Amino acid sequence: MSIHQHLPALQVVVPMLIAPLVILMRGRGLAWAMATATSVMAFIIAVSLTNAVVEAGSVSYAMGSWQAPYGIELRVTAFSALLLLIVTAASTITLLFGKQSIDSQIEQHRQPMFYAAWLLALAGLVGIVVAGDAFNIFVFMEVSSLASYILIAAGPNRQAMPSVFKYLVMGTIGATFYLIGVGLIYMMTGTLNLADMEVRLQEVHDLKPIVVAAGFITVGLALKAAVFPLHVWLPNSYTYAPHMVTAFFAACATKVSLFVLLRFEFLVFQPNLVDYAGQFTAFLIPLAVIGILFASGVALFETHLKRLLAYSSVAQVGYILLGASMATAAGLTAGIMHMFNHALAKGALFLAIACLATQVSNLRLNKLGGIARKMPWTMAAFVVGGLSLVGIPGTAGFISKWLLISAVLEKGTLGIFLVVAVLASSLMAVVYFWRIVEVAYFGDAPADGLTDGLTEGLTEQPVLQEAPKWMLFGTWFVALANIYYGLNPSLPLLLSSQAASNLLGQLP
Amino acid sequence: MELLGLYNYWAYVAILMIGFYAVIAKSNLIKKLIGLSIFQSAVFLLYITMDKVDGGTAPIIQAGVSDQIYSNPLPQVLILTAIVVGISTMALGLAIVVRIKESYGTIEEDQIHLLDQRK
């Protein structure tokens, strides 16, 4: 067997095994170098897996050569390949370009532990994506969640602690609900393998426990994915986490939970439960629409830059869900495509914020007057990310919004209302980005200086300058990727349309 | 009487709800964690209950015994993993509570909220 066949396992095993080694790296920058190298390796594995999937359709791997359904199966499909790319790329870019930001927020002696937790989070997230059975998904979900609590708690403000506590409680409830659902399905089918579950369910006569399981799994995963109204853990966690952690998680964490949710809904429940597709649509469309409008509305009035973007993330989860809840090929393609494009846009925005934060300690809007005159490159990258999020033609965000609107219009009269909601929320996005742009480009510097009172008593005001070149380079790399995938979306489009037909192919 | 016969499941639901109530209603962070732990333990009971086969014993194969009925070992193995996950979550949660106590001087949720507002 060549190494190529082991790639699905290596994808998880490499970061997981290197994580404990990273703790031992006490030298300056060694832990960072090792974590980054591992992340790059994970990205390379993800790319070659994607190539294999594009060629062969899907890749299956039997752990220890025990064949499914008795052994543990790892399965990489077009959908998981897309998410593997998002997760590993987000981790690699934030690590590679974010060293200065991490150095400034995490003390030197805590860094080895921080990077170890980072690699565990990475291993957990890719593990969820490649796992082919329901219980391994739970285990990897908890691995990634526990690691992400640690990463968020590393934030410099003390408010990070209560927000992590809230996240921990809600995340554990979500995971436990999921576990209950999996248990109920196991009771009725005697299997944990997702593909096998789907077949065995056809022989189950009393479907009541499965309906209950569907409820538990949907709610549990919706909690993890921050679907409105279960999003309350997200804004504070993203606000007080270290900037690079926010950039990493904003790009991929909620999407991985949505991935599991969609796989369960479309592969396990919809083919086997009568009327389930209708219930799924009727349940999720209102949540998606209210979530989009509510979160955009809150973002309109939010003054803290990171929390504003966190609320915008909640709205974007709504878009993905709206596309998926159409339960049509076009809708699913749009939703899955939006996962990719939102990761690009939010990644660029949060990286730009990390650049800002190297110079400005307070990220409230009223402290950022005229910042674009001092940091033109950072703010320009921020604007590109913003345009992509709003969905201006020529950026990645436009592609998925266009797909979403055309998918929604297939729904007739209801579709028109939904289009109005999508457009209204895009307009709100324009407004909240304009507020930032207005302050940054046309505002006056605040009277007490940009450094938030730190200069009091000092004769010399610290000179504001552009962010470190290397971080700026990374930010622009992602910003330009937004434009590149806006003009040439063939790769994500190929993967997401294939993913959509895979998901729907199981429906009768 | 069939409903009463499922008393393990009733116990599971009751314990689940007791834990859930504590998580939602208590403002003391330690009590919240205790509630969370009870909540998770309820699920362990669900899994242990489902693996029981009528008349089955512990699934250990012995030489010379061939007509024995065994309980299903898989859920027990699964729940061992879930117990480990639960312990890690609890340890991490308690560590966070210690850090909260150090920086806020309290572990009451409403007081922490007040301290954050005042700033």
Side-chain angles (χ1 to χ4, degrees), chain A residues 110 135 138-139 142 146 149-150 153 158-159 161-162 164-165 168-169 172-173 176-177 179-180 182-184 186-187 192, chain B residues 9 12 20 23 29 32-33 39-40 43 47 50 72 74-75 78 81 85 88-89 92 96-97 99-100 103-104 112 116:
Chain A
R110 286 201 297 160
F135 196 78
F138 166 75
V139 173
E142 285 305 86
L146 287 170
Y149 306 146
I150 297 171
R158 67 172 184 179
Q159 286 102 316
M161 291 296 151
V164 167
F165 189 83
L168 182 137
V169 169
T172 308
I173 291 176
T176 309
F177 270 23
L179 193 59
I180 296 173
V182 171
L184 290 171
Y186 179 76
M187 275 164 83
L192 290 166
Chain B
Y9 292 97
Y12 140 72
F20 202 35
V23 173
L29 298 184
K32 260 185 196 293
L33 279 182
F39 181 72
Q40 287 182 309
V43 182
Y47 272 72
M50 75 170 84
N72 184 354
L74 184 69
L78 295 182
T81 317
V85 168
S88 333
T89 313
L92 187 59
I96 291 169
V97 174
R99 292 271 306 272
I100 289 177
S103 52
Y104 284 86
I112 294 169
D116 276 343

Short mmCIF file of all heavy atoms in Angstrom, two decimals, chain A residues 110 135 138-139 142 146 149-150 153 158-159 161-162 164-165 168-169 172-173 176-177 179-180 182-184 186-187 192, chain B residues 9 12 20 23 29 32-33 39-40 43 47 50 72 74-75 78 81 85 88-89 92 96-97 99-100 103-104 112 116:
data_model
loop_
_atom_site.label_atom_id
_atom_site.label_comp_id
_atom_site.label_asym_id
_atom_site.label_seq_id
_atom_site.Cartn_x
_atom_site.Cartn_y
_atom_site.Cartn_z
N ARG A 110 3.51 30.43 27.58
CA ARG A 110 2.26 29.70 27.35
C ARG A 110 2.12 29.26 25.90
O ARG A 110 1.22 28.52 25.55
CB ARG A 110 1.07 30.59 27.73
CG ARG A 110 0.89 30.73 29.22
CD ARG A 110 -0.52 31.16 29.54
NE ARG A 110 -0.83 32.46 28.98
CZ ARG A 110 -2.06 32.91 28.77
NH1 ARG A 110 -3.08 32.15 29.06
NH2 ARG A 110 -2.27 34.11 28.27
N PHE A 135 -20.46 8.04 15.89
CA PHE A 135 -19.85 8.22 17.20
C PHE A 135 -18.48 8.88 17.10
O PHE A 135 -18.11 9.69 17.94
CB PHE A 135 -19.73 6.87 17.92
CG PHE A 135 -19.47 7.05 19.39
CD1 PHE A 135 -20.51 7.38 20.24
CD2 PHE A 135 -18.21 6.94 19.91
CE1 PHE A 135 -20.28 7.59 21.59
CE2 PHE A 135 -17.98 7.15 21.26
CZ PHE A 135 -19.01 7.46 22.10
N PHE A 138 -18.89 12.47 17.07
CA PHE A 138 -19.05 13.02 18.42
C PHE A 138 -17.70 13.21 19.10
O PHE A 138 -17.43 14.27 19.67
CB PHE A 138 -19.95 12.10 19.25
CG PHE A 138 -19.90 12.39 20.73
CD1 PHE A 138 -20.57 13.49 21.24
CD2 PHE A 138 -19.18 11.60 21.60
CE1 PHE A 138 -20.52 13.78 22.60
CE2 PHE A 138 -19.12 11.88 22.96
CZ PHE A 138 -19.80 12.98 23.46
N VAL A 139 -16.85 12.18 19.02
CA VAL A 139 -15.56 12.27 19.71
C VAL A 139 -14.73 13.42 19.14
O VAL A 139 -14.19 14.25 19.87
CB VAL A 139 -14.80 10.93 19.62
CG1 VAL A 139 -13.39 11.08 20.18
CG2 VAL A 139 -15.55 9.85 20.35
N GLU A 142 -15.93 16.76 20.22
CA GLU A 142 -15.51 17.15 21.56
C GLU A 142 -14.03 17.49 21.60
O GLU A 142 -13.62 18.41 22.30
CB GLU A 142 -15.84 16.04 22.56
CG GLU A 142 -17.32 15.97 22.88
CD GLU A 142 -17.88 17.30 23.39
OE1 GLU A 142 -18.26 18.11 22.53
OE2 GLU A 142 -17.92 17.52 24.59
N LEU A 146 -13.15 21.12 22.96
CA LEU A 146 -12.31 21.33 24.15
C LEU A 146 -11.09 22.17 23.78
O LEU A 146 -10.73 23.09 24.50
CB LEU A 146 -11.87 19.98 24.74
CG LEU A 146 -12.98 19.20 25.46
CD1 LEU A 146 -12.52 17.80 25.79
CD2 LEU A 146 -13.39 19.92 26.73
N TYR A 149 -12.15 25.77 23.35
CA TYR A 149 -12.37 26.51 24.60
C TYR A 149 -11.03 27.04 25.12
O TYR A 149 -10.94 28.19 25.56
CB TYR A 149 -12.99 25.62 25.69
CG TYR A 149 -14.27 24.91 25.30
CD1 TYR A 149 -14.58 23.65 25.79
CD2 TYR A 149 -15.19 25.52 24.45
CE1 TYR A 149 -15.74 22.99 25.45
CE2 TYR A 149 -16.35 24.86 24.10
CZ TYR A 149 -16.62 23.59 24.59
OH TYR A 149 -17.76 22.94 24.24
N ILE A 150 -10.01 26.19 25.04
CA ILE A 150 -8.69 26.61 25.54
C ILE A 150 -8.17 27.79 24.73
O ILE A 150 -7.68 28.78 25.27
CB ILE A 150 -7.69 25.43 25.46
CG1 ILE A 150 -8.16 24.30 26.37
CG2 ILE A 150 -6.30 25.87 25.84
CD1 ILE A 150 -7.38 23.03 26.20
N ALA A 153 -10.06 30.92 25.57
CA ALA A 153 -9.74 31.38 26.92
C ALA A 153 -8.36 32.02 26.97
O ALA A 153 -8.03 32.70 27.94
CB ALA A 153 -9.80 30.22 27.90
N ARG A 158 -10.20 39.71 30.61
CA ARG A 158 -10.80 38.75 31.53
C ARG A 158 -12.21 38.37 31.09
O ARG A 158 -12.72 37.33 31.48
CB ARG A 158 -10.83 39.32 32.95
CG ARG A 158 -11.75 40.50 33.14
CD ARG A 158 -11.84 40.84 34.61
NE ARG A 158 -12.82 41.91 34.82
CZ ARG A 158 -13.11 42.38 36.01
NH1 ARG A 158 -12.52 41.90 37.08
NH2 ARG A 158 -14.00 43.35 36.14
N GLN A 159 -12.84 39.19 30.24
CA GLN A 159 -14.17 38.82 29.75
C GLN A 159 -14.14 37.53 28.94
O GLN A 159 -15.18 36.92 28.71
CB GLN A 159 -14.78 39.92 28.87
CG GLN A 159 -15.26 41.12 29.61
CD GLN A 159 -14.27 42.25 29.50
OE1 GLN A 159 -13.06 42.03 29.64
NE2 GLN A 159 -14.73 43.44 29.23
N MET A 161 -13.06 34.78 29.86
CA MET A 161 -13.39 33.62 30.71
C MET A 161 -14.90 33.35 30.79
O MET A 161 -15.33 32.24 30.50
CB MET A 161 -12.82 33.82 32.11
CG MET A 161 -11.34 33.76 32.16
SD MET A 161 -10.79 32.15 31.67
CE MET A 161 -9.22 32.58 31.00
N PRO A 162 -15.72 34.35 31.19
CA PRO A 162 -17.16 34.05 31.22
C PRO A 162 -17.70 33.66 29.85
O PRO A 162 -18.59 32.81 29.77
CB PRO A 162 -17.78 35.36 31.70
CG PRO A 162 -16.69 36.07 32.39
CD PRO A 162 -15.43 35.68 31.72
N VAL A 164 -16.11 32.02 27.50
CA VAL A 164 -15.74 30.62 27.26
C VAL A 164 -16.61 29.69 28.09
O VAL A 164 -17.04 28.64 27.63
CB VAL A 164 -14.26 30.38 27.59
CG1 VAL A 164 -13.97 28.90 27.65
CG2 VAL A 164 -13.40 31.02 26.55
N PHE A 165 -16.89 30.11 29.33
CA PHE A 165 -17.72 29.26 30.18
C PHE A 165 -19.09 29.04 29.55
O PHE A 165 -19.60 27.92 29.49
CB PHE A 165 -17.87 29.90 31.56
CG PHE A 165 -18.51 28.98 32.55
CD1 PHE A 165 -17.76 28.04 33.22
CD2 PHE A 165 -19.88 29.05 32.79
CE1 PHE A 165 -18.36 27.18 34.12
CE2 PHE A 165 -20.47 28.18 33.68
CZ PHE A 165 -19.71 27.24 34.35
N LEU A 168 -18.68 26.73 26.71
CA LEU A 168 -18.46 25.36 27.17
C LEU A 168 -19.79 24.71 27.57
O LEU A 168 -20.09 23.58 27.18
CB LEU A 168 -17.50 25.36 28.35
CG LEU A 168 -17.10 24.00 28.94
CD1 LEU A 168 -15.61 23.98 29.22
CD2 LEU A 168 -17.84 23.68 30.20
N VAL A 169 -20.60 25.45 28.33
CA VAL A 169 -21.88 24.87 28.78
C VAL A 169 -22.77 24.59 27.57
O VAL A 169 -23.30 23.48 27.41
CB VAL A 169 -22.56 25.82 29.77
CG1 VAL A 169 -23.99 25.37 30.02
CG2 VAL A 169 -21.78 25.87 31.07
N THR A 172 -21.38 21.78 25.32
CA THR A 172 -21.54 20.44 25.89
C THR A 172 -22.99 19.99 25.78
O THR A 172 -23.26 18.82 25.48
CB THR A 172 -21.08 20.45 27.36
OG1 THR A 172 -19.78 20.99 27.42
CG2 THR A 172 -21.08 19.06 27.92
N ILE A 173 -23.93 20.91 26.02
CA ILE A 173 -25.34 20.54 25.87
C ILE A 173 -25.61 20.12 24.42
O ILE A 173 -26.26 19.10 24.16
CB ILE A 173 -26.25 21.70 26.29
CG1 ILE A 173 -26.14 21.91 27.79
CG2 ILE A 173 -27.70 21.44 25.89
CD1 ILE A 173 -26.91 23.09 28.30
N THR A 176 -24.14 16.72 23.82
CA THR A 176 -24.89 15.67 24.53
C THR A 176 -26.20 15.37 23.82
O THR A 176 -26.61 14.21 23.72
CB THR A 176 -25.12 16.10 25.98
OG1 THR A 176 -23.88 16.51 26.54
CG2 THR A 176 -25.67 14.96 26.81
N PHE A 177 -26.86 16.41 23.34
CA PHE A 177 -28.09 16.20 22.55
C PHE A 177 -27.78 15.32 21.34
O PHE A 177 -28.53 14.39 21.02
CB PHE A 177 -28.66 17.54 22.07
CG PHE A 177 -29.63 18.16 23.02
CD1 PHE A 177 -29.62 17.84 24.36
CD2 PHE A 177 -30.58 19.07 22.57
CE1 PHE A 177 -30.51 18.41 25.25
CE2 PHE A 177 -31.48 19.64 23.45
CZ PHE A 177 -31.45 19.32 24.78
N LEU A 179 -25.42 13.20 21.10
CA LEU A 179 -25.15 11.84 21.58
C LEU A 179 -26.45 11.09 21.86
O LEU A 179 -26.57 9.90 21.56
CB LEU A 179 -24.30 11.94 22.85
CG LEU A 179 -23.65 10.66 23.35
CD1 LEU A 179 -22.73 10.10 22.28
CD2 LEU A 179 -22.85 10.93 24.62
N ILE A 180 -27.43 11.79 22.44
CA ILE A 180 -28.72 11.15 22.69
C ILE A 180 -29.34 10.69 21.37
O ILE A 180 -29.82 9.56 21.23
CB ILE A 180 -29.68 12.12 23.41
CG1 ILE A 180 -29.14 12.47 24.79
CG2 ILE A 180 -31.08 11.52 23.53
CD1 ILE A 180 -29.93 13.56 25.50
N VAL A 182 -27.85 10.01 18.53
CA VAL A 182 -27.11 8.88 17.98
C VAL A 182 -27.49 7.60 18.72
O VAL A 182 -27.68 6.54 18.11
CB VAL A 182 -25.59 9.14 18.06
CG1 VAL A 182 -24.81 7.89 17.70
CG2 VAL A 182 -25.20 10.28 17.15
N GLY A 183 -27.64 7.70 20.05
CA GLY A 183 -28.02 6.53 20.85
C GLY A 183 -29.36 5.98 20.41
O GLY A 183 -29.53 4.77 20.24
N LEU A 184 -30.33 6.87 20.18
CA LEU A 184 -31.66 6.42 19.77
C LEU A 184 -31.60 5.73 18.41
O LEU A 184 -32.25 4.70 18.18
CB LEU A 184 -32.62 7.60 19.72
CG LEU A 184 -32.98 8.18 21.09
CD1 LEU A 184 -33.76 9.47 20.94
CD2 LEU A 184 -33.79 7.17 21.90
N TYR A 186 -29.01 4.22 17.20
CA TYR A 186 -28.32 2.94 17.39
C TYR A 186 -29.28 1.90 17.95
O TYR A 186 -29.24 0.72 17.56
CB TYR A 186 -27.12 3.12 18.32
CG TYR A 186 -26.40 1.82 18.57
CD1 TYR A 186 -25.57 1.29 17.59
CD2 TYR A 186 -26.58 1.11 19.74
CE1 TYR A 186 -24.93 0.08 17.79
CE2 TYR A 186 -25.95 -0.10 19.94
CZ TYR A 186 -25.13 -0.61 18.97
OH TYR A 186 -24.51 -1.81 19.15
N MET A 187 -30.16 2.32 18.86
CA MET A 187 -31.15 1.39 19.43
C MET A 187 -32.00 0.76 18.33
O MET A 187 -32.32 -0.42 18.39
CB MET A 187 -32.08 2.13 20.38
CG MET A 187 -31.56 2.28 21.77
SD MET A 187 -32.50 3.51 22.64
CE MET A 187 -33.89 2.57 23.17
N LEU A 192 -23.65 2.34 13.66
CA LEU A 192 -23.24 3.73 13.84
C LEU A 192 -22.70 4.31 12.54
O LEU A 192 -22.53 5.52 12.42
CB LEU A 192 -22.15 3.82 14.91
CG LEU A 192 -22.62 3.55 16.34
CD1 LEU A 192 -21.43 3.34 17.24
CD2 LEU A 192 -23.44 4.71 16.84
N TYR B 9 -35.68 4.04 31.51
CA TYR B 9 -35.79 5.19 30.61
C TYR B 9 -36.42 6.37 31.32
O TYR B 9 -36.05 7.52 31.09
CB TYR B 9 -36.57 4.81 29.36
CG TYR B 9 -35.82 3.83 28.49
CD1 TYR B 9 -36.05 2.47 28.56
CD2 TYR B 9 -34.83 4.27 27.63
CE1 TYR B 9 -35.35 1.58 27.79
CE2 TYR B 9 -34.11 3.40 26.85
CZ TYR B 9 -34.37 2.04 26.93
OH TYR B 9 -33.66 1.18 26.18
N TYR B 12 -33.80 7.89 33.30
CA TYR B 12 -32.89 8.65 32.44
C TYR B 12 -33.45 10.04 32.12
O TYR B 12 -32.76 11.06 32.25
CB TYR B 12 -32.61 7.84 31.17
CG TYR B 12 -32.55 8.60 29.88
CD1 TYR B 12 -31.46 9.44 29.60
CD2 TYR B 12 -33.57 8.49 28.94
CE1 TYR B 12 -31.42 10.14 28.41
CE2 TYR B 12 -33.52 9.18 27.77
CZ TYR B 12 -32.45 10.01 27.49
OH TYR B 12 -32.41 10.70 26.33
N PHE B 20 -30.41 19.46 33.46
CA PHE B 20 -30.67 20.57 32.55
C PHE B 20 -31.22 21.78 33.31
O PHE B 20 -30.82 22.92 33.07
CB PHE B 20 -31.68 20.10 31.50
CG PHE B 20 -31.67 20.90 30.23
CD1 PHE B 20 -30.49 21.42 29.72
CD2 PHE B 20 -32.84 21.12 29.53
CE1 PHE B 20 -30.48 22.15 28.55
CE2 PHE B 20 -32.84 21.85 28.36
CZ PHE B 20 -31.67 22.36 27.87
N VAL B 23 -28.46 23.58 35.09
CA VAL B 23 -27.63 24.37 34.17
C VAL B 23 -28.31 25.69 33.85
O VAL B 23 -27.69 26.75 33.83
CB VAL B 23 -27.37 23.58 32.87
CG1 VAL B 23 -26.65 24.46 31.86
CG2 VAL B 23 -26.56 22.35 33.15
N LEU B 29 -21.59 29.30 39.17
CA LEU B 29 -20.98 28.57 38.06
C LEU B 29 -20.65 27.13 38.42
O LEU B 29 -20.75 26.23 37.58
CB LEU B 29 -19.70 29.29 37.60
CG LEU B 29 -19.91 30.70 37.06
CD1 LEU B 29 -18.60 31.27 36.55
CD2 LEU B 29 -20.95 30.73 35.96
N LYS B 32 -23.75 25.17 38.16
CA LYS B 32 -24.03 24.95 36.74
C LYS B 32 -23.24 23.74 36.24
O LYS B 32 -23.77 22.89 35.52
CB LYS B 32 -23.60 26.18 35.93
CG LYS B 32 -24.72 27.12 35.56
CD LYS B 32 -24.14 28.21 34.67
CE LYS B 32 -25.04 29.40 34.55
NZ LYS B 32 -26.28 29.14 33.85
N LEU B 33 -21.97 23.66 36.62
CA LEU B 33 -21.14 22.54 36.17
C LEU B 33 -21.64 21.23 36.75
O LEU B 33 -21.62 20.19 36.07
CB LEU B 33 -19.68 22.76 36.56
CG LEU B 33 -18.88 23.69 35.65
CD1 LEU B 33 -17.45 23.77 36.13
CD2 LEU B 33 -18.91 23.18 34.22
N PHE B 39 -26.42 16.06 33.81
CA PHE B 39 -27.02 16.00 32.47
C PHE B 39 -26.30 14.96 31.60
O PHE B 39 -26.93 14.14 30.93
CB PHE B 39 -26.90 17.40 31.87
CG PHE B 39 -27.48 17.57 30.50
CD1 PHE B 39 -28.84 17.56 30.30
CD2 PHE B 39 -26.65 17.77 29.40
CE1 PHE B 39 -29.38 17.75 29.04
CE2 PHE B 39 -27.17 17.94 28.14
CZ PHE B 39 -28.54 17.93 27.96
N GLN B 40 -24.97 14.98 31.66
CA GLN B 40 -24.21 14.02 30.85
C GLN B 40 -24.36 12.60 31.39
O GLN B 40 -24.47 11.65 30.61
CB GLN B 40 -22.73 14.41 30.84
CG GLN B 40 -22.45 15.62 30.00
CD GLN B 40 -20.98 15.94 29.98
OE1 GLN B 40 -20.33 16.03 31.02
NE2 GLN B 40 -20.43 16.14 28.80
N VAL B 43 -27.18 10.54 30.06
CA VAL B 43 -26.99 9.91 28.76
C VAL B 43 -26.22 8.61 28.91
O VAL B 43 -26.47 7.64 28.18
CB VAL B 43 -26.29 10.88 27.80
CG1 VAL B 43 -26.15 10.27 26.44
CG2 VAL B 43 -27.08 12.16 27.72
N TYR B 47 -27.39 4.83 27.44
CA TYR B 47 -26.60 3.87 26.66
C TYR B 47 -26.48 2.54 27.38
O TYR B 47 -26.57 1.48 26.79
CB TYR B 47 -25.20 4.45 26.37
CG TYR B 47 -25.13 5.27 25.12
CD1 TYR B 47 -25.72 6.53 25.06
CD2 TYR B 47 -24.51 4.80 23.98
CE1 TYR B 47 -25.67 7.29 23.92
CE2 TYR B 47 -24.45 5.56 22.82
CZ TYR B 47 -25.03 6.80 22.80
OH TYR B 47 -24.99 7.54 21.66
N MET B 50 -29.69 0.59 27.04
CA MET B 50 -30.03 0.02 25.73
C MET B 50 -29.21 -1.24 25.41
O MET B 50 -29.61 -2.04 24.58
CB MET B 50 -29.85 1.06 24.63
CG MET B 50 -28.41 1.32 24.27
SD MET B 50 -28.24 2.32 22.80
CE MET B 50 -28.41 3.96 23.39
N ASN B 72 -25.03 -6.57 24.91
CA ASN B 72 -24.29 -5.95 23.81
C ASN B 72 -23.14 -5.11 24.37
O ASN B 72 -23.36 -4.17 25.12
CB ASN B 72 -25.27 -5.06 23.03
CG ASN B 72 -24.62 -4.45 21.83
OD1 ASN B 72 -23.42 -4.58 21.62
ND2 ASN B 72 -25.42 -3.76 21.03
N LEU B 74 -21.03 -3.13 22.79
CA LEU B 74 -20.62 -1.91 22.07
C LEU B 74 -21.04 -0.62 22.80
O LEU B 74 -20.20 0.26 23.00
CB LEU B 74 -21.16 -1.94 20.64
CG LEU B 74 -20.69 -0.75 19.82
CD1 LEU B 74 -19.20 -0.84 19.54
CD2 LEU B 74 -21.44 -0.64 18.51
N PRO B 75 -22.32 -0.49 23.22
CA PRO B 75 -22.68 0.76 23.89
C PRO B 75 -21.85 1.01 25.14
O PRO B 75 -21.54 2.16 25.47
CB PRO B 75 -24.15 0.57 24.24
CG PRO B 75 -24.64 -0.39 23.25
CD PRO B 75 -23.51 -1.33 23.01
N LEU B 78 -18.73 2.53 23.97
CA LEU B 78 -18.98 3.90 23.54
C LEU B 78 -19.06 4.83 24.74
O LEU B 78 -18.50 5.91 24.75
CB LEU B 78 -20.29 3.98 22.76
CG LEU B 78 -20.37 3.23 21.44
CD1 LEU B 78 -21.72 3.47 20.81
CD2 LEU B 78 -19.27 3.69 20.50
N THR B 81 -15.92 5.99 26.36
CA THR B 81 -15.36 7.15 25.67
C THR B 81 -16.07 8.42 26.09
O THR B 81 -15.45 9.45 26.36
CB THR B 81 -15.47 6.95 24.16
OG1 THR B 81 -15.12 5.63 23.84
CG2 THR B 81 -14.59 7.92 23.42
N VAL B 85 -14.75 11.91 27.82
CA VAL B 85 -15.04 13.24 27.29
C VAL B 85 -15.67 14.10 28.38
O VAL B 85 -15.30 15.27 28.58
CB VAL B 85 -15.98 13.15 26.07
CG1 VAL B 85 -16.51 14.51 25.70
CG2 VAL B 85 -15.25 12.54 24.89
N SER B 88 -13.08 15.29 30.89
CA SER B 88 -12.23 16.38 30.36
C SER B 88 -13.00 17.69 30.35
O SER B 88 -12.46 18.74 30.72
CB SER B 88 -11.75 16.06 28.95
OG SER B 88 -11.70 14.70 28.74
N THR B 89 -14.27 17.61 29.94
CA THR B 89 -15.06 18.84 29.91
C THR B 89 -15.17 19.43 31.32
O THR B 89 -15.02 20.64 31.51
CB THR B 89 -16.47 18.54 29.37
OG1 THR B 89 -16.36 17.75 28.21
CG2 THR B 89 -17.22 19.80 29.08
N LEU B 92 -11.88 21.01 32.44
CA LEU B 92 -11.66 22.29 31.77
C LEU B 92 -12.61 23.35 32.33
O LEU B 92 -12.21 24.48 32.61
CB LEU B 92 -11.85 22.13 30.27
CG LEU B 92 -11.50 23.33 29.42
CD1 LEU B 92 -10.04 23.70 29.63
CD2 LEU B 92 -11.72 23.02 27.96
N ILE B 96 -11.65 26.83 34.25
CA ILE B 96 -12.11 28.16 33.84
C ILE B 96 -12.76 28.87 35.02
O ILE B 96 -12.56 30.08 35.22
CB ILE B 96 -13.08 28.03 32.64
CG1 ILE B 96 -12.31 27.58 31.41
CG2 ILE B 96 -13.76 29.35 32.37
CD1 ILE B 96 -13.20 27.19 30.27
N VAL B 97 -13.52 28.13 35.84
CA VAL B 97 -14.14 28.76 37.00
C VAL B 97 -13.07 29.30 37.94
O VAL B 97 -13.20 30.40 38.49
CB VAL B 97 -15.06 27.76 37.74
CG1 VAL B 97 -15.59 28.37 39.02
CG2 VAL B 97 -16.21 27.36 36.85
N ARG B 99 -10.13 30.39 37.09
CA ARG B 99 -9.62 31.63 36.48
C ARG B 99 -10.62 32.78 36.64
O ARG B 99 -10.23 33.93 36.87
CB ARG B 99 -9.33 31.41 34.99
CG ARG B 99 -8.17 30.49 34.71
CD ARG B 99 -6.84 31.22 34.62
NE ARG B 99 -6.85 32.31 33.66
CZ ARG B 99 -6.56 32.15 32.36
NH1 ARG B 99 -6.23 30.97 31.90
NH2 ARG B 99 -6.57 33.19 31.55
N ILE B 100 -11.92 32.47 36.55
CA ILE B 100 -12.92 33.51 36.73
C ILE B 100 -12.86 34.04 38.14
O ILE B 100 -12.89 35.25 38.38
CB ILE B 100 -14.33 32.95 36.41
CG1 ILE B 100 -14.48 32.72 34.91
CG2 ILE B 100 -15.41 33.90 36.89
CD1 ILE B 100 -15.79 32.11 34.50
N SER B 103 -9.91 36.40 38.55
CA SER B 103 -9.92 37.73 37.95
C SER B 103 -11.16 38.55 38.35
O SER B 103 -11.10 39.76 38.34
CB SER B 103 -9.82 37.63 36.43
OG SER B 103 -10.78 36.75 35.93
N TYR B 104 -12.25 37.90 38.71
CA TYR B 104 -13.45 38.66 39.08
C TYR B 104 -13.69 38.66 40.59
O TYR B 104 -14.43 39.48 41.09
CB TYR B 104 -14.70 38.07 38.40
CG TYR B 104 -14.82 38.40 36.94
CD1 TYR B 104 -14.20 37.63 35.98
CD2 TYR B 104 -15.58 39.50 36.52
CE1 TYR B 104 -14.31 37.92 34.64
CE2 TYR B 104 -15.70 39.80 35.18
CZ TYR B 104 -15.06 39.01 34.24
OH TYR B 104 -15.18 39.30 32.92
N ILE B 112 -20.80 38.72 38.00
CA ILE B 112 -19.82 38.85 36.91
C ILE B 112 -20.38 39.78 35.84
O ILE B 112 -19.70 40.67 35.34
CB ILE B 112 -19.50 37.47 36.31
CG1 ILE B 112 -18.78 36.62 37.33
CG2 ILE B 112 -18.67 37.61 35.05
CD1 ILE B 112 -18.66 35.17 36.94
N ASP B 116 -18.87 43.36 34.53
CA ASP B 116 -18.56 43.65 33.13
C ASP B 116 -19.26 44.90 32.66
O ASP B 116 -18.74 45.67 31.87
CB ASP B 116 -18.98 42.46 32.25
CG ASP B 116 -17.91 41.39 32.21
OD1 ASP B 116 -16.76 41.73 32.58
OD2 ASP B 116 -18.21 40.26 31.83
#
